[in-house]
Amino acid sequence: MDRPNTALLEAVAALATAPLPDIAHRLRAALSPYWASSSLVIFTEDCTGRPQKKAGDEAIISRVSIAELDAIRAALLDANAGIWRGEAAFGGEKRPLLAVTSPSNALLVLSDPQPAPASHGGPDGQWILHYLWTLAAERIREKVADAPPSYLIESRAASAERLRVTAELVDQHSTTLEALLAALRSPALTAAAARTAATDVAAKALVGLRTLSDRTTDLVEEPVASAFQRLREDLRPLMNFSGIDVQFIEPPVNGRALPGEVAHAARAIVRGLVLAMVDQEGVRRVRTQWDCDGVNLLINVRDDGHGELSASSPAMARLVQRVEVLNGSMGVDVMPGWGSDIAVVIPLDPPARPLAEVADWNLGEREVEVLQLLAAGQRNRGIAAKLHISENTVKFHLRNLYRKIGATSRTEAMALAHSNGRR
């Protein structure tokens, strides 16, 4: 048997036995004699918790979004063919792409694709691409169908974490849109003043959106007073233009600093509560208060409405779930004719969770230490300080961790670590 055929058979065997976390790497290796590419991304709805499998240039694959993949899939459907070549946004930039679908509706995307020169009598590169991709897509479908309970738990945990992060962004954008509408509808503003106010709100929101990722990545702890001040700034446009009097009862200046995740989530929860309250008829005043007893963040939000807030509404149920994710509690006291009074308690420290046996992940000793600190909510700076290593070294270990445990982001890695610790 000649060498090209032997290499192809070896590639087929590697794909046929590939575990899910390695499927993208093995597919890219199998395709490399026939197609060069800067990155390879698989997008499949079979894996709800981890729909993307990635290999290649980290600067590209770390920035690929589901919205970009959906747009590429739409272009593929518009072409009414099993393969599409063109330019589209991918990893935050416009790039040459090759996209292929599969019978299981999974999507394969290669960036900067370059076919290898065809050898005389050798297999056609496009046929090889279809063949190996169909094999990989079927392998994914079979592995998910036969997944053990542990995989399903991890997948659901990752899905829940992604949903939580998305919901926080939805609330933040909803606050901005409510403020824009309030400015544009305000009878106290002229048309020109309303446009100016709306432009200012939109510009501030864009700046905040662009800096959100860096801000939350670098933030390990935040003084409770400054965290509360940022909440005030988030809600200021709504206060200015909606006619609702949003009152703030300041927390103690010398209270314990909040873990970054608690401060970020608490602001999102209060924003959601305020939006739910101002959506009621007759509400003219909302009061929010934070306090810290050294162990818990204590939040109280009250309105002066008719007491019609439904504790079972989808918006409120979603907020309750957010609080429970933080191991906190929410009490809703609705008094007909007197308004609503909501109390939230969020622990500042995560509960002790012993990390279960992770031998199947083949982690090194240092990787286990990094994973334990990651699961405890530490950011890169905190991990580096505790292990006496540089932040670049932490990033190196995290990249290896993501690959070994099949995570595509920090939040998925945390979710997998937590679900493994519960078993």
Side-chain angles (χ1 to χ4, degrees):
M1 184 178 294
D2 59 30
R3 180 162 300 196
N5 286 339
T6 301
L8 179 58
L9 288 177
E10 289 174 349
V12 169
L15 274 177
T17 58
L20 281 176
D22 293 342
I23 194 85
H25 295 277
R26 293 198 185 181
L27 178 59
R28 188 164 185 255
L31 288 173
S32 59
Y34 312 96
W35 289 90
S37 64
S38 55
S39 68
L40 176 151
V41 174
I42 297 169
F43 182 44
T44 170
E45 296 176 2
D46 291 327
C47 304
T48 56
R50 290 165 286 176
Q52 298 182 46
K53 320 292 182 192
K54 307 175 183 180
D57 187 342
E58 184 70 23
I60 299 175
I61 63 177
S62 63
R63 300 180 62 194
V64 172
S65 69
I66 290 179
E68 291 174 336
L69 295 170
D70 278 337
I72 295 167
R73 175 175 281 171
L76 186 60
L77 293 175
D78 289 342
N80 197 25
I83 190 168
W84 172 84
R85 293 193 71 172
E87 285 196 350
F90 192 73
E93 297 181 12
K94 205 162 190 179
R95 306 177 191 276
L97 303 175
L98 172 64
V100 191
T101 188
S102 74
S104 63
N105 202 35
L107 178 69
L108 171 68
V109 182
L110 303 180
S111 61
D112 306 304
Q114 292 292 332
S119 58
H120 180 69
D124 176 69
Q126 190 162 310
W127 180 88
I128 288 290
L129 176 65
H130 273 289
Y131 178 77
L132 292 177
W133 166 231
T134 301
L135 178 62
E138 184 62 19
R139 174 66 175 169
I140 293 171
R141 189 191 65 79
E142 290 178 353
K143 287 291 288 182
V144 172
D146 298 334
S150 60
Y151 175 84
L152 300 179
I153 291 172
E154 292 169 357
S155 182
R156 290 187 65 183
S159 296
E161 182 67 11
R162 183 181 293 109
L163 181 63
R164 183 187 67 80
V165 172
T166 301
E168 288 186 5
L169 290 174
V170 167
D171 268 355
Q172 186 162 350
H173 296 326
S174 296
T175 305
T176 299
L177 292 174
E178 287 275 5
L180 286 172
L181 289 174
L184 294 172
R185 291 172 176 170
S186 175
L189 298 176
T190 65
R195 286 195 298 272
T196 300
T199 300
D200 289 343
V201 171
K204 180 178 181 295
L206 284 173
V207 171
L209 180 63
R210 288 167 182 162
T211 59
L212 179 63
S213 178
D214 291 339
R215 186 172 65 195
T216 54
T217 298
D218 294 338
L219 188 62
V220 177
E221 285 191 337
E222 186 173 5
V224 63
S226 64
F228 191 76
Q229 179 61 29
R230 284 176 56 189
L231 171 67
R232 185 195 293 269
E233 293 298 323
D234 287 345
L235 294 174
R236 187 182 299 279
L238 187 62
M239 299 158 48
N240 289 344
F241 307 119
S242 66
I244 303 292
D245 180 17
V246 183
Q247 302 176 347
F248 298 89
I249 310 300
E250 299 286 345
V253 176
N254 58 351
R256 175 183 165 182
L258 305 180
E261 293 78 9
V262 172
H264 181 69
R267 284 190 294 269
I269 289 165
V270 173
R271 286 197 304 266
L273 290 173
V274 171
L275 288 173
M277 288 178 169
V278 302
D279 199 38
Q280 304 172 92
E281 292 289 338
V283 172
R284 291 292 174 265
R285 184 173 63 253
V286 175
R287 189 189 77 168
T288 181
Q289 178 177 3
W290 284 16
D291 202 349
C292 183
D293 63 4
V295 178
N296 302 291
L297 175 63
L298 310 175
I299 299 172
N300 180 250
V301 186
R302 299 180 61 180
D303 68 48
D304 66 346
H306 303 310
E308 298 172 348
L309 186 67
S310 173
S312 60
S313 68
M316 291 297 294
R318 181 160 51 86
L319 291 172
V320 170
Q321 289 176 347
R322 286 196 203 178
V323 173
E324 290 176 347
V325 165
L326 298 168
N327 300 294
S329 62
M330 178 187 290
V332 180
D333 190 5
V334 178
M335 300 161 285
W338 292 90
S340 308
D341 190 336
I342 300 175
V344 178
V345 179
I346 302 176
L348 300 185
D349 298 307
R353 296 185 187 222
L355 199 62
E357 181 62 45
V358 292
D360 291 344
W361 286 341
N362 297 317
L363 302 182
E365 181 179 348
R366 181 64 86 187
E367 291 167 344
V368 171
E369 292 174 337
V370 171
L371 181 60
Q372 288 173 325
L373 293 171
L374 180 69
Q378 291 287 336
R379 295 291 183 181
N380 289 2
R381 187 183 305 166
I383 295 173
K386 288 183 179 294
L387 297 182
H388 305 289
I389 57 179
S390 70
E391 288 190 58
N392 284 336
T393 303
V394 172
K395 293 176 182 178
F396 170 79
H397 288 310
L398 287 175
R399 282 195 295 270
N400 288 338
L401 271 174
Y402 296 166
R403 177 177 56 81
K404 289 183 178 181
I405 71 178
T408 58
S409 69
R410 188 183 197 89
T411 52
E412 284 189 15
M414 291 178 67
L416 293 176
H418 285 171
S419 62
N420 188 275
R422 286 196 294 268
R423 290 202 301 276

